[in-house]
Structure formats: C-alpha cells, structure tokens
Amino acid sequence: MRADAHVRGLDSDDAAEDQAQQDPARPADAGSDGGERVQEVLRELRGVIPEARLLTDPAQLATYECDGLAAYRVTPALVVLADNADEVAATVRSCARHAVPFVARGSGTGLSGGALPHAEGVLVVTSRLRTLHQLRRADQRAVVDTGVINLQVTKAATPDGYYFAPDPSSQQICSIGGNVAENSGGAHCLKYGFTSGHVLSLDVVAPTGEQVTLGTEAPDAPGYDMVGAFVGSEGTLGVATSAVVRLTRLPEEVRTVLAGFETTDQAGAATSAIIAAGIVPAAIEIMDALAIEAAERAVSCGYPEGAGAVLVVELDGAAQEVEHEYAEVERICREAGTFEFRMAIDAAERAEIWKGRKSAFAAVGRISPDYIVQDGVVPRTALPEVLRRMGEISREKGVRVANVFHAGDGNLHPLVLFDAAEEGATERAEAVSGMILDLCIEHGGSITGEHGVGSDKARYMPRMFTDDDLDTMQLVRCAFDPEGIANPGKIYPTPRLCGERPRVRQDAHPAQQAGLAEIF
C-alpha cells in the first residue's frame, strides 16, 4: 500500500476479506512500473487534452483523493478533467493500451467509496460534461451529459410540467452519471423507483476506449437489457458520458404531513398500516430521537418536541385521490398513537418539513465528531424487529446509532456515531456497522439499498453471495472489461487471495458441470 493511502480500521475475522479491504485501490497485478505506465498515458494525452486539465501537482491531486466517504483516501497518479466524450474515450484508450487502471468520478458525492481513486491509475472526472442537450415534452425525455446535476434536470423540466423523479438527498450537487453508476434512489423511490427505471439509453466509453450506445428510447427494446446491466455497475463496466432519461409528469396535488410519535415502533406500525391500506405514498420517511436532535441543532426544523420518532409522509397524484389518501393517513397515524399531526399548507412549509430530513446526514456532525453512514435494506415488515435489535447492539457495544430511513421500502440509513480520537472507537463503530449489515442479510435484505458497494462494503459481499455467485457476476464484468482496469477493487472482494486478479473463471462453472449451460 502506498504510504499516502489511508484506510480506516477494521475488525474482521476473515483474513481473505481483510486482504481485499486493506488495499481497495490496488489491483492484484499492479507492478512496480505502474508509475511509468501512467507517464506513458500522460505523454499521449498531451496534445489531445489541454495541459491545464491534466493534473499531476500533489496539491491538486489531493482534492480528488476521496469521494463522499472521506474515511478512505488514495491519491491518484493522474487526474484528467474531461470536457467531452471524445476526451474521456481518448483517456480510456490510452489507459487500455498501457494497462493502467482508471476510475470515473462525477461530483464525488458517493457514500461507498465507489469513486475512490487508484494510486497507480487515472481518475477521469466527468463533472465538466454539463450540457443539457434536449428536453422533449411530447415524449417525456431529456438528453443530458452525465456531468449534469440531478436537480438541474428537474429545474429545467418544471416549466413544462415535468421533473426527474430519482431524488437522492444529494440531488442539489450529485451528477446524473453518479446516479447511473450507483443506481441511486431517494425519498420518492418508494413510488417512482430507482434510477434504473428512468434511464432509457446511455452513451458509454467501454474499458477498451470504444464509444458505444446501450439501449434505445423504445419503452421495451428487444434483446439483452444492457442498460440494466450498466446502471448500478459502479463504474466497473465503463464510463457513461450521456444519457436519455425519462421525465415524470408533475402531480396535480401534493400533500406533505409530519406525524410525531413516542416510539419508532409506533411510527413503523403506522407505516405498515398505510401500505396495507393500499396507499402508495410518494415517500414515507422515519427519523428517530437522535436524528431529530441532530436536525434540530443544525437547521431548527421545528419537529414535534419530545418525539421519539417522526414520520414524514408525502402523498401526490390526482387531487381527489390525494384527498382520500390524506384522510386515511391521518386516521391511521392517530390510531397508531401520533401525538402531533400536521400538514404543510404551502410549498414553504413543505420545504421546512423536508429540510430536517434532507439535512439529517450532515446534521449528525453536530452531535458526533465522526460517524459512518450505513446503507442496508430489509423487507418493510422486518423493520420493527431489526430496529429493536439495532438498539440492543447499540447498547451492548456502547456505540450510539441514529436512524434516518426510507421506511416505505425498508431502506435503512443508520448513522453509527463515534469519536476517532478515542482509542478503539473507530473499530467498535466498524464492528457495529458490520453487525447491522448482518442483521439486514439475516432478515432477507441486502447490504446496500442505494449507496452501492464500492470500496466500503466489498468485504461483505461473501456474506450475501457464494463464490459461485460472485464468479458469475465476474463473468459479466469480464465481458466488458477482461483486463480488469475499470474501477478495480470495487464491489468484488478481490483479490480474495494474495496474487489473485479479477478474471474469467478457469475451470468449469458449476452451472456448466451440472449440464445447465454449455459455454462460460
């Protein structure tokens, strides 16, 4: 590991997982001539890309040493600030020619270390690709470069009565390319789905440097769903440079309500009852007492005083339908024990309610010097049991956990609080964080709901998938990237063994041995 690479502490019994985690940015075949190969790439790019956008100065490189998960830091060997798809392609072609790893980065807001640079590789920054090419009201499409900010698409489409539905909490600064890489979600994905449901086609630079288009604008294109494979692949299949995305019609009516409860169990029971009543709100969010405390300190959002949990419910659709659903939600919340129920009467009050929820992650910094933003998902019905067990783990380990989550789809965002200055605190927080992910798996959930696996959770993949499962995923990856140069060290716990590199399986796959497949 490079001396300037910093990775936070770990507590794992599995030596193979540790091997993968301790050096997430270094491929197994990284040789001593890695620096020389990067210099070859740099020489080739000079004359193609202006010198001012080829960064090699250590002070400039330090700006890009991490994404939103600042606990991992690796200084890239070279940063390329691409202005267009041709420059991205030229960079990737040169990387392929010299077997140099590359990592794509948009706005750098990811929370799983998916855009963590490679110490002997090139960081391809796409944030300058910010042209919004077309807004086509008639067919509800927008054609955008992948550096365009999520919220800008909605702002541009709103005058025509449309918006871009996926809304991560970072939507004011995150890029469409990052949303595509991580298959981002957000508060309103309960009703409208994740990014994958809103992308029709992608212009992509493959790991060979070839520029290709995946998918079509047809609503149901024939053949393999290549866009589906690419969205959520976390930069391991190439770099998206533009996208055709689906726009959603603005609803006729929106009502946002805030309900205060004494406990998260009551708020959870109200959530289950709302869904069981056949209502699909645009969003159902829960914050517990610790998260409320943090939000109040940061933005004075005016949540009910003394609440052990608040429920934020947003209903949208046709006015008559929303009126009926609102009455039902109020009845259900009161039966579940809410002691304060109020509806935003205008856009300003709606924004005020959401301000507390959307600021929660950053607000936790007001009550703890350090914290881990975890991201797991469980079936909605398992929420009460999982939350109670998380509380027990928190008390047993002496580590505070604040909960902010998309209750409607069971997407947990526990914030594990610690003080890195305290000896052993980081390791305890990591342990609690891992135990929460184990809880999610035990209850039929997943280690990520919307943040991706990245560098942060690659070591947990074997807890959820068998070796055969992971090998099968690698077959897909190797079809795009046989040399393993696209964002190596992410998603997959490779090298599982020292010296191993991502590659196509050499012996017969179990499905082949069982006579279920002929070619792998």
Side-chain angles (χ1 to χ4, degrees):
M1 183 185 298
R2 283 170 59 102
D4 58 351
H6 166 71
V7 176
R8 65 188 180 195
L10 296 169
D11 183 13
S12 170
D13 293 330
D14 190 318
E17 291 180 12
D18 285 353
Q19 166 66 26
Q21 183 65 15
Q22 287 168 1
D23 197 357
R26 181 185 175 89
D29 64 342
S32 58
D33 64 341
E36 296 174 8
R37 285 183 279 137
V38 172
Q39 290 303 312
E40 288 295 327
V41 171
L42 179 60
R43 277 191 282 273
E44 289 186 357
L45 293 180
R46 284 175 171 150
V48 177
I49 297 174
E51 189 75 21
R53 292 194 277 110
L54 300 172
L55 308 185
T56 57
D57 180 83
Q60 292 177 311
L61 295 177
T63 302
Y64 298 93
E65 65 183 7
C66 68
D67 58 11
L69 183 62
Y72 295 137
R73 294 176 186 271
V74 175
T75 304
L78 170 65
V79 171
V80 176
L81 305 180
D83 245 4
N84 52 58
D86 288 341
E87 291 185 355
V88 174
T91 303
V92 173
R93 275 198 305 272
S94 184
C95 287
R97 198 157 35 242
H98 298 286
V100 170
F102 67 88
V103 177
R105 171 188 166 119
S107 297
T109 57
L111 293 169
S112 62
L116 186 73
H118 191 287
E120 296 175 344
V122 176
L123 187 71
V124 186
V125 178
T126 60
S127 60
R128 295 168 64 93
L129 280 64
R130 287 197 176 183
T131 302
L132 204 162
H133 295 278
Q134 297 178 4
L135 282 172
R136 304 204 304 265
R137 175 182 178 180
D139 55 7
Q140 297 181 233
R141 305 282 191 266
V143 183
V144 300
D145 282 348
T146 49
V148 170
I149 300 301
N150 175 301
L151 191 59
Q152 288 178 339
V153 182
T154 288
K155 286 183 174 178
T158 295
D160 287 331
Y162 293 90
Y163 73 110
F164 183 57
D167 61 340
S169 294
S170 58
Q171 71 176 143
Q172 295 186 3
I173 50 174
C174 66
S175 69
I176 294 296
N179 296 169
V180 168
E182 304 298 335
N183 192 19
S184 300
H188 293 89
C189 288
L190 169 64
K191 186 172 184 177
Y192 296 101
F194 288 70
T195 298
S196 58
H198 301 267
V199 177
L200 292 159
S201 73
L202 292 166
D203 286 345
V204 169
V205 176
T208 57
E210 183 183 7
Q211 292 176 264
V212 298
T213 298
L214 306 180
T216 75
E217 293 193 36
D220 185 20
Y224 294 112
D225 181 7
M226 302 302 286
V227 173
F230 194 92
V231 176
S233 61
E234 304 189 28
T236 60
L237 304 185
V239 185
T241 55
S242 72
V244 179
V245 300
R246 192 190 310 275
L247 299 177
T248 302
R249 185 72 174 159
L250 286 168
E252 181 182 1
E253 174 79 11
V254 178
R255 288 196 185 186
T256 304
V257 301
L258 178 69
F261 294 89
E262 293 181 355
T263 68
T264 53
D265 274 4
Q266 291 175 319
T271 299
S272 296
I274 289 169
I275 300 294
I279 300 170
V280 182
I284 304 184
E285 304 285 301
I286 291 180
M287 295 171 63
D288 71 6
L290 204 50
I292 296 168
E293 177 189 344
E296 288 291 350
R297 287 197 195 183
V299 297
S300 302
C301 46
Y303 285 174
E305 189 173 347
V310 294
L311 188 65
V312 177
V313 183
E314 189 155 280
L315 304 165
D316 70 3
Q320 191 171 1
E321 178 187 8
V322 170
E323 178 69 32
H324 169 72
E325 291 180 344
Y326 172 77
E328 279 293 283
V329 168
E330 181 174 11
R331 178 186 64 77
I332 290 168
C333 286
R334 295 200 184 284
E335 288 180 359
T338 183
F339 64 87
E340 183 173 332
F341 184 91
R342 65 176 189 251
M343 182 187 76
I345 60 171
D346 54 27
E349 286 197 6
R350 183 178 305 126
E352 195 68 15
I353 288 176
W354 278 112
K355 185 169 70 173
R357 166 60 186 89
K358 297 243 175 184
S359 66
F361 286 6
V364 167
R366 299 293 185 102
I367 61 172
S368 177
D370 301 286
Y371 61 93
I372 297 169
V373 180
Q374 196 46 276
D375 165 46
V377 64
V378 297
R380 187 170 50 241
T381 52
L383 275 174
E385 183 178 348
V386 170
L387 289 171
R388 277 195 293 274
R389 182 63 189 132
M390 283 169 56
E392 292 170 1
I393 291 171
S394 173
R395 290 187 290 275
E396 289 167 6
K397 300 297 181 183
V399 176
R400 294 188 300 165
V401 178
N403 283 295
V404 182
F405 54 97
H406 307 311
D409 49 16
N411 189 184
L412 299 163
H413 288 310
L415 303 163
V416 183
L417 315 184
F418 66 102
D419 183 352
E422 178 187 338
E423 186 176 355
T426 303
E427 288 73 16
R428 287 196 298 277
E430 286 280 0
V432 167
S433 184
M435 293 172 76
I436 290 172
L437 292 181
D438 284 340
L439 264 181
C440 293
I441 296 171
E442 289 168 13
H443 287 80
S446 166
I447 61 174
T448 178
E450 57 179 332
H451 293 177
V453 176
S455 302
D456 190 35
K457 288 183 277 192
R459 59 186 156 142
Y460 296 111
M461 288 287 276
R463 301 189 190 184
M464 189 167 174
F465 298 104
T466 67
D467 284 352
D468 290 338
D469 292 335
L470 295 172
D471 281 346
T472 302
M473 294 180 198
Q474 288 281 22
L475 287 170
V476 176
R477 177 180 183 171
C478 290
F480 285 78
D481 181 25
E483 300 303 320
I485 60 172
N487 209 9
K490 313 297 167 56
I491 304 179
Y492 303 106
T494 51
R496 289 198 294 266
L497 301 172
C498 185
E500 179 185 347
R501 54 165 291 182
R503 59 180 170 77
V504 176
R505 188 189 186 98
Q506 297 300 301
D507 55 346
H509 189 277
Q512 189 178 9
Q513 293 173 335
L516 300 175
E518 294 181 352
I519 299 173
F520 275 98

